[in-house]
Amino acid sequence: MEVTGRVVVLTGAAHGIGAAMARRFATEGAAGVVVSDLDLEGAEKVVAEITAAGGAAIARHADASSKEDLKTLVTDARSTFGAVDLFCSNAGAAFGTGVHAADEQWTRSWAINVMQHVHAAQVALPAMLSRGHGYLLITASGAGLLGTPGDAPYSVTKHAAVGLAEWLAITYRPRGIRVSALCPLGVRTALLEPGIAAGHPAALAIAAAAPLLEPEDVAESVVHGLASEEFLILPHESVRETYARKAAGLDEWIDRTILETGARKR
């Protein structure tokens, strides 16, 4: 998919990767960009940047875990710009906790990191299927392929997000719908940097796995990945080789990960 002339909806787009994608899509000539986030003020700042540069965008407050909020985003996009071509479910949540995380943290992780993508598909697919084309971009994580020592809810739910993306691709590609899973490792965002500063094992493991990228680097990878309609969009190309090595010998992979990260029982 070329972004030029397309209508795009993004969640979690006030900061970080989402904001970088919104700006880049506008630069690529998107017909309209819906920038949504719990932080409406932040979303409005992104929209102001886009419109100042001659792009078309609107800001909306939305809880990415709410199906009704996502449905409203699709409605607003259609009434303002036209039918949605690309839905980017990008919001994420991480708590840096192990298997004994509070039930509320497990629940919130599942709601944001998994059910957001389920709801996005539910609200975007009907119109896409009726037209015979459309694109779902699920922001998962390299953690969804390689795991994250030190953060059980994040690792588990990101694996689930990749699994959902695979199911959607298998089910709907024959009907003209494309699906990609965006799986970066470390990116300089508010989700990761505080954990690195605090010395959290999960954040340190991600930072040690590959060089930290800027959100704009990820947005660049997304544009190229959409153009070639790759299922896995991997801003850190090393993930591809590491993922293959994991699949070739899982026990060896687990043992190596324990040694490299100093993982301990949690």
Side-chain angles (χ1 to χ4, degrees):
M1 172 180 281
E2 301 292 340
V3 179
T4 304
R6 306 292 189 175
V7 176
V8 186
V9 173
L10 301 103
T11 63
H15 308 281
I17 294 171
M21 286 197 295
R23 290 190 290 263
R24 182 56 190 271
F25 292 157
T27 299
E28 290 292 315
V33 181
V34 178
V35 180
S36 76
D37 203 286
L38 283 172
D39 177 8
L40 179 58
E41 183 178 354
E44 289 173 337
K45 289 180 179 177
V46 174
V47 167
E49 294 176 33
I50 290 172
T51 55
I58 57 173
R60 292 292 184 267
H61 176 274
D63 179 348
S65 68
S66 166
K67 183 177 179 178
E68 288 305 313
D69 281 9
L70 300 190
K71 186 183 297 184
T72 299
L73 293 181
V74 171
T75 300
D76 288 353
R78 184 171 58 244
S79 63
T80 306
F81 302 118
V84 175
D85 298 295
L86 170 63
F87 196 114
C88 305
S89 45
N90 171 75
F95 297 100
T97 49
V99 73
H100 299 294
D103 288 350
E104 293 79 6
Q105 291 175 326
W106 277 104
T107 299
R108 187 61 179 165
S109 295
W110 189 259
I112 294 293
N113 296 341
V114 182
M115 293 308 298
Q116 167 196 194
H117 309 303
V118 173
H119 295 325
Q122 289 173 337
V123 302
L125 277 172
M128 290 180 177
L129 289 169
S130 69
R131 301 195 315 273
H133 65 86
Y135 214 120
L136 301 175
L137 176 66
I138 291 176
T139 299
S141 169
L145 301 173
L146 305 177
T148 311
D151 196 328
Y154 189 79
S155 181
V156 170
T157 54
K158 289 301 186 177
H159 274 77
V162 173
L164 172 66
E166 290 177 354
W167 186 91
L168 289 168
I170 291 167
T171 304
Y172 291 108
R173 185 180 290 181
R175 299 178 65 182
I177 309 302
R178 291 295 183 263
V179 181
S180 290
L182 173 60
C183 296
L185 286 175
V187 183
R188 294 188 191 279
T189 69
L191 197 64
L192 180 64
E193 289 194 307
I196 295 175
H200 190 276
L204 293 176
I206 291 174
L212 292 183
L213 297 180
E214 299 298 330
E216 291 73 20
D217 298 324
V218 178
E220 175 78 10
S221 294
V222 167
V223 168
H224 289 290
L226 294 175
S228 58
E229 298 186 347
E230 298 173 325
F231 173 72
L232 284 180
I233 298 179
L234 304 175
H236 296 83
E237 186 57 34
S238 61
V239 171
R240 196 178 308 276
E241 179 183 345
T242 309
Y243 186 44
R245 190 167 69 245
K246 173 185 175 181
L250 190 52
D251 285 299
E252 180 184 353
W253 163 259
I254 291 172
D255 289 340
R256 181 181 298 172
T257 302
I258 291 170
L259 290 172
E260 290 178 351
T261 64
R264 297 292 183 268
K265 295 179 180 179
R266 293 176 62 84

